[in-house]
C-alpha cells in the first residue's frame, strides 16, 4: 500500500509573519487528516523557522530545489547536505518553473535527484508537458524523456523511495486542472513505463498530481487508482484549503 502524500509548494511566497499564521492554521486542523503524509516546502530562508514551528507535529519539511553539487564555489546554491542539516525529508527537483525559467536540463535534474538521494533526502521529481506538446500529442514522449534521464542516472529501483509529480505545465497556476481521467491516463502510463523495468518499483513509487489542485477537485483526482496525492501550489498558501486537500487524500 502506498501512503498518500500531499506536499505544499509555497514557491516564492510569504513572510515570516504570514508563514507563522499559515502553520498555526495547518497544525490546528492536522488531527483531522487521517491518511496522508503532509509536507510543506517553504523558501530556503524560512526552513529554520518552519522546522522550529513544526516541532512535535507530523508535518514533514521539504525544500523547493537543491544543487547537484555536494559543496564548493557555487554562489547562491544550496547543497543537499545543508537541507539535511535542517531535517528536510523531501526536496522538489525539476519543477517546470525551474526548467523553463532557470534553464534546468533533464540531465541537471537527474543529477539533482541523485544528489538528494545521496544525502538521504527523498526527491520529488516533477515531470509534465507544456500545452503545445499536449496539443501535438507528445505528452508521453516528453514524460518518458524526463523520466528516463533520471533512470539512466540512478537506476530504476532508486525511484521507489523517491516521488514523481506529474504536473501538466498548462495546469500550473492557471486554474485549468487536468480532468481526473486525463491525469490518471498519464499516471498509469508512467507507472507502466516503470513496471517494464521493475514491477516492484512501479508498485511502490508514489505519483502525485499537480496543477491547480483545490479542495473542490482534490477528491475526484485522488480517487484515481494511480494518483497517490498532490503537489499543491497556490492552494497550499491557505491553511483551510490545504487541510481540505490533505483530507481528500485516501
Ligand atoms: P498550482 O501549482 O497548484 O498553483 O497550480 C502547482 C505546482 O506548481 O507545483
Amino acid at each position: 500500500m502506498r501512503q498518500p502524500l500531499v506536499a505544499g509548494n509555497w514557491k516564492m511566497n510569504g513572510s515570516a509573519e504570514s508563514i507563522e499564521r499559515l502553520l498555526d492554521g495547518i497544525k490546528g486542523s492536522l488531527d483531522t487528516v487521517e491518511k496522508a503524509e503532509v509536507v510543506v516546502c517553504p523558501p530556503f530562508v524560512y526552513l529554520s523557522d518552519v522546522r522550529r514551528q513544526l516541532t512535535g507535529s507530523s508535518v514533514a519539511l521539504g525544500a523547493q530545489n537543491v544543487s547537484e553539487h555536494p559543496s564548493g564555489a557555487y554562489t547562491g546554491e544550496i547543497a543537499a547536505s545543508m537541507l539535511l542539516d535542517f531535517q528536510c525529508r523531501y526536496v522538489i527537483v525539476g519543477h517546470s518553473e525551474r526548467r523553463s525559467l532557470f534553464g534546468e536540463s533533464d540531465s541537471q535534474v537527474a543529477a539533482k535527484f541523485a544528489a538528494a538521494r545521496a544525502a538521504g533526502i527523498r526527491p520529488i521529481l516533477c515531470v509534465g508537458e507544456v500545452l503545445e506538446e499536449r496539443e501535438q500529442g507528445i505528452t508521453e514522449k516528453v514524460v518518458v524523456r524526463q523520466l528516463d534521464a533520471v533512470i539512466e542516472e540512478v537506476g530504476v529501483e532508486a525511484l521507489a523511495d523517491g516521488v514523481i509529480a506529474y504536473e501538466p505545465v498548462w495546469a500550473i497556476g492557471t486554474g485549468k486542472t487536468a480532468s481526473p481521467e486525463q491525469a490518471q491516463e498519464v499516471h498509469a502510463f508512467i507507472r507502466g513505463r516503470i513496471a517494464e523495468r521493475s514491477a516492484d518499483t512501479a508498485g511502490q513509487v508514489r505519483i502525485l498530481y499537480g496543477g491547480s489542485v483545490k479542495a473542490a477537485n482534490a477528491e475526484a483526482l485522488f480517487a484515481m487508482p494511480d494518483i497517490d496525492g498532490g503537489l499543491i501550489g497556490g492552494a497550499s498558501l491557505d491553511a483551510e484549503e490545504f487541510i481540505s486537500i490533505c483530507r481528500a487524500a485516501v
Side-chain angles (χ1 to χ4, degrees), residues 204-220:
Q204 283 164 17
V205 66
R206 289 180 289 182
I207 309 179
L208 313 183
Y209 169 78
S212 298
V213 178
K214 307 182 259 305
N217 58 26
E219 208 175 309

Side-chain angles (χ1 to χ4, degrees), residues 108-249:
Q108 192 180 5
V109 171
K112 288 178 180 228
F113 189 102
R117 279 196 80 242
I121 298 174
R122 294 171 184 259
I124 301 175
L125 168 69
C126 298
V127 297
E129 81 289 2
V130 299
L131 184 59
E132 213 182 12
E133 292 163 335
R134 173 156 284 260
E135 285 171 353
Q136 284 169 20
I138 57 168
T139 296
E140 292 181 353
K141 196 171 151 208
V142 171
V143 167
V144 163
R145 195 198 69 222
Q146 294 168 333
L147 195 61
D148 281 2
V150 173
I151 294 176
E152 269 163 40
E153 175 88 21
V154 292
V156 71
E157 273 94 13
L159 294 177
D161 51 26
V163 176
I164 296 170
Y166 169 59
E167 300 205 301
V169 180
W170 48 271
I172 295 178
T174 58
K176 273 191 225 153
T177 326
S179 69
E181 293 73 23
Q182 272 176 325
Q184 166 59 24
E185 197 183 345
V186 182
H187 281 233
F189 170 77
I190 293 172
R191 206 179 297 286
R193 177 90 190 170
I194 296 168
E196 284 169 16
R197 309 194 194 193
S198 164
D200 281 354
T201 305
Q204 283 164 17
V205 66
R206 289 180 289 182
I207 309 179
L208 313 183
Y209 169 78
S212 298
V213 178
K214 307 182 259 305
N217 58 26
E219 208 175 309
L221 284 160
F222 297 166
M224 291 289 151
D226 288 297
I227 301 185
D228 304 313
L231 181 55
I232 320 298
S236 71
L237 298 169
D238 177 322
E240 223 178 283
E241 186 80 7
F242 185 61
I243 286 289
S244 301
I245 293 169
C246 295
R247 260 188 232 132

Side-chain angles (χ1 to χ4, degrees), residues 31-126:
D31 53 358
T32 62
V33 175
E34 283 182 20
K35 301 247 167 53
E37 181 179 4
V38 179
V39 182
V40 293
C41 304
F44 288 132
V45 290
Y46 297 118
L47 283 173
S48 174
D49 267 4
V50 172
R51 177 180 66 149
R52 185 179 42 76
Q53 288 170 63
L54 289 179
T55 307
S57 106
S58 61
V59 179
L61 191 58
Q64 298 174 17
N65 185 23
V66 66
S67 171
E68 63 271 42
H69 304 289
S71 66
Y74 300 102
T75 302
E77 291 291 284
I78 305 284
S81 59
M82 298 171 183
L83 298 180
L84 196 65
D85 265 348
F86 289 91
Q87 275 102 51
C88 281
R89 198 182 298 164
Y90 290 91
V91 62
I92 299 169
V93 298
H95 189 278
S96 67
E97 286 149 19
R98 302 283 335 157
R99 293 179 191 262
S100 67
L101 302 173
F102 302 97
E104 289 188 9
S105 64
D106 291 335
S107 60
Q108 192 180 5
V109 171
K112 288 178 180 228
F113 189 102
R117 279 196 80 242
I121 298 174
R122 294 171 184 259
I124 301 175
L125 168 69
C126 298

